[in-house]
């Protein structure tokens, strides 16, 4: 009989990596067996979250789950649904978007769309990302869902899928309305999701541009997020202000391959908001760094396939496997590759086969899904027969 599938033994490696726990204003973190005083960031904000975008690790949190009005930061979800529709082929950058009378009637921040005016999706997104256009947001909502109300249902559904349990949307632009709220924690989650779409920072990171450039009424766009001009590496994401919400911001910056998201809600003014967010970003980049365990494309190991047209496949990292590391710290971690003893064909490319577990002091720090890099079809009878016969006479 054919030999039983070999069990892939756990792959144990040791690296100098440490992943920080959540540092909050209420709870100190432990570092090298010494208690470190809690860091104080965003002192004037009602709530704040500092997050590593790659791993999803929360570096700092202050009242992170408090439900508050998010103002125009709401538009992060609007932009997310737009780019997801483009990726799904439901929308093109060059598609024309017609402005309804309702969309044109929006007050507050706007790009002064007129009823019946048409702009491309590309220009509408510029108007949302840079000028925080309430009118452009509604026009895009109507383009995608038919009505703003139907689009808001899409927003709330996507929020649930992302685990945004502190959030309920009532419109697509953040203008003051009852039952419209979110939290710094949830805003960090949807910001991280939006940043998975690499094209978005072309819009959120631009400081100035034009709409209707060759028309009789050109409109100069200046980004409401001044950090994209004044903070090195900043390229987004969204500001917000209403008298109820005060001054809000979800900012992102990248340095040395490390991307950070900093969210503040309820700041007293723009100067304090920008200063405290800059300090949050400085803290992240000065205190932490990314440690890559495997680069994208690295071969991690091999796994035997039962009754497949091939007998084994390589396990390949489909994305960079990285862990957030505290600068100056050196603690051992272990890596364990766990895959079932028997994996039967057929296997589909992208199918989850197991996981890579990174642990420290017997505590799991992060788990990475291990996925099949190729399709494996089930072997035919004749191939299995020849394989079994070959095994018998070895």
């Amino acid at each position: 009989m054919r030999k039983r599938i070999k069990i892939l033994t756990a792959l144990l490696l040791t690296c100098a990596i440490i992943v920080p726990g959540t540092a909050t204003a209420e709870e100190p973190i432990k570092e090298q067996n010494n208690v470190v005083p809690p860091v104080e960031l965003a002192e004037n904000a009602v709530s704040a979250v500092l997050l590593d975008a790659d791993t999803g690790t929360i570096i700092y949190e202050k009242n992170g789950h408090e439900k508050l009005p998010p103002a125009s930061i709401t538009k992060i979800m609007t932009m997310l649904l737009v780019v997801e529709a483009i990726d799904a082929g439901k929308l093109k950058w060059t598609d024309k978007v017609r402005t309804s009378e309702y969309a044109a009637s929006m007050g507050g921040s706007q790009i002064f769309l007129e009823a019946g005016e048409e702009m491309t999706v590309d220009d509408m997104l510029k108007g949302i990302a840079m000028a925080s256009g309430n009118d452009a947001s509604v026009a895009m909502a109507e383009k995608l869902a038919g009505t703003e109300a139907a689009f808001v249902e899409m927003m709330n559904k996507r929020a649930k899928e992302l685990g945004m349990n502190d959030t309920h949307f009532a419109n697509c632009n953040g203008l003051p309305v009852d039952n419209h709220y979110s939290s710094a924690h949830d805003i960090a989650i949807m910001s991280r999701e939006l940043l998975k779409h690499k094209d978005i920072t072309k819009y959120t990171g631009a400081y100035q541009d034009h709409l209707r450039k060759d028309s009789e009424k050109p409109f100069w766009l200046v980004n409401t997020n001044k950090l994209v001009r004044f903070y090195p590496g900043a390229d987004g994401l969204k500001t917000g202000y209403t008298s109820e919400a005060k001054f809000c911001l979800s900012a992102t910056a990248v340095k040395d391959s490390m991307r950070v998201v900093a969210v503040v809600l309820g700041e007293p003014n723009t100067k304090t908001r920008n200063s405290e967010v800059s300090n949050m970003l400085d803290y992240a980049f000065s205190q932490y760094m990314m440690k890559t365990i495997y680069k994208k494309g690295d071969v991690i190991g091999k796994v035997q396939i039962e009754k497949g047209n091939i007998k084994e496949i390589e396990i390949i990292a489909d994305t960079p496997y990285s862990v957030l590391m505290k600068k100056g710290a050196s603690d051992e971690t272990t890596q364990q590759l766990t895959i079932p003893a028997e994996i039967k064909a057929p296997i589909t490319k992208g199918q989850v086969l197991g996981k890579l577990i990174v642990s420290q002091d017997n505590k799991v720090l992060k788990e990475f899904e291990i996925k099949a890099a190729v399709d494996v079809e089930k072997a035919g009878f004749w191939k299995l027969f020849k394989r079994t016969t070959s095994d018998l006479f070895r």
Side-chain angles (χ1 to χ4, degrees), residues 17-19 55 289-291 293 321-325 358 368:
I17 309 171
I18 181 170
V19 177
T55 65
M289 62 180 287
M290 296 303 299
K291 175 69 177 184
I293 302 172
Y321 293 165
S322 303
V323 180
L324 195 64
M325 183 174 74
V358 180
F368 299 93

Side-chain angles (χ1 to χ4, degrees), residues 379-393:
F381 171 80
W382 184 242
K383 191 164 193 172
L384 289 174
F385 176 77
K386 289 196 296 183
R387 189 180 295 169
T388 300
T389 305
S390 174
D391 287 344
L392 284 173
F393 290 99

Side-chain angles (χ1 to χ4, degrees), residues 184-385:
H185 175 271
D186 284 4
I187 290 167
I189 289 176
M190 69 175 178
S191 298
R192 183 187 180 212
E193 192 67 22
L194 180 60
L195 286 165
K196 292 179 181 179
H197 302 268
K198 304 303 182 184
D199 287 339
I200 196 62
T201 53
K202 180 178 78 171
Y203 300 90
T204 63
Y207 182 64
Q208 59 185 8
D209 205 333
H210 282 85
L211 294 175
R212 312 180 187 94
K213 188 173 183 179
D214 299 322
S215 73
E216 295 180 356
K217 296 180 179 180
F219 186 76
W220 185 34
L221 293 172
V222 178
N223 203 321
T224 58
N225 179 11
K226 305 309 178 191
L227 293 186
V228 301
R229 182 180 181 185
F230 297 110
Y231 190 91
D235 53 6
L237 272 172
K238 193 69 198 72
T239 60
Y241 170 79
T242 64
S243 58
E244 180 186 19
K246 302 303 180 186
F247 294 86
C248 309
L249 176 60
S250 177
T252 185
V254 62
K255 181 179 180 181
D256 298 330
S257 300
M258 177 180 169
R259 179 174 287 282
V260 175
V261 173
V263 179
V264 292
L265 299 177
E267 292 277 15
N269 52 63
T270 54
K271 182 178 180 180
T272 302
R273 178 188 69 185
N274 292 348
S275 175
E276 294 196 336
V277 167
S278 295
N279 289 340
M280 291 170 73
L281 296 173
D282 286 344
Y283 176 79
F285 293 132
S286 67
Q287 298 300 307
Y288 296 95
M289 62 180 287
M290 296 303 299
K291 175 69 177 184
T292 301
I293 302 172
Y294 290 108
K295 294 179 291 185
K296 182 178 180 179
D298 282 354
V299 176
I300 301 173
K302 295 181 179 181
V303 60
Q304 302 290 317
I305 306 300
E306 182 178 357
K307 297 183 179 179
N309 62 340
I310 54 178
K311 297 180 71 173
E312 68 177 20
I313 59 174
E314 290 183 328
I315 299 170
I316 299 174
D318 59 336
T319 62
Y321 293 165
S322 303
V323 180
L324 195 64
M325 183 174 74
K326 190 75 165 66
K327 288 183 177 179
S330 179
D331 286 272
E332 291 186 348
T333 66
T334 59
Q335 299 171 36
Q336 183 180 10
L337 185 63
T338 61
I339 294 181
E342 295 183 351
I343 299 182
K344 296 181 180 180
I347 294 172
T348 304
K349 182 179 179 180
Q351 178 179 328
V352 177
L353 304 179
K355 54 191 175 182
L356 177 69
I357 303 172
V358 180
S359 302
Q360 180 183 31
D361 297 329
N362 296 318
K363 179 183 178 181
V364 175
L365 299 178
K366 188 164 181 64
E367 296 183 0
F368 299 93
E369 286 187 337
I370 299 297
K371 300 177 182 178
V374 294
D375 293 322
V376 181
E377 297 178 0
K378 191 172 182 179
F381 171 80
W382 184 242
K383 191 164 193 172
L384 289 174
F385 176 77

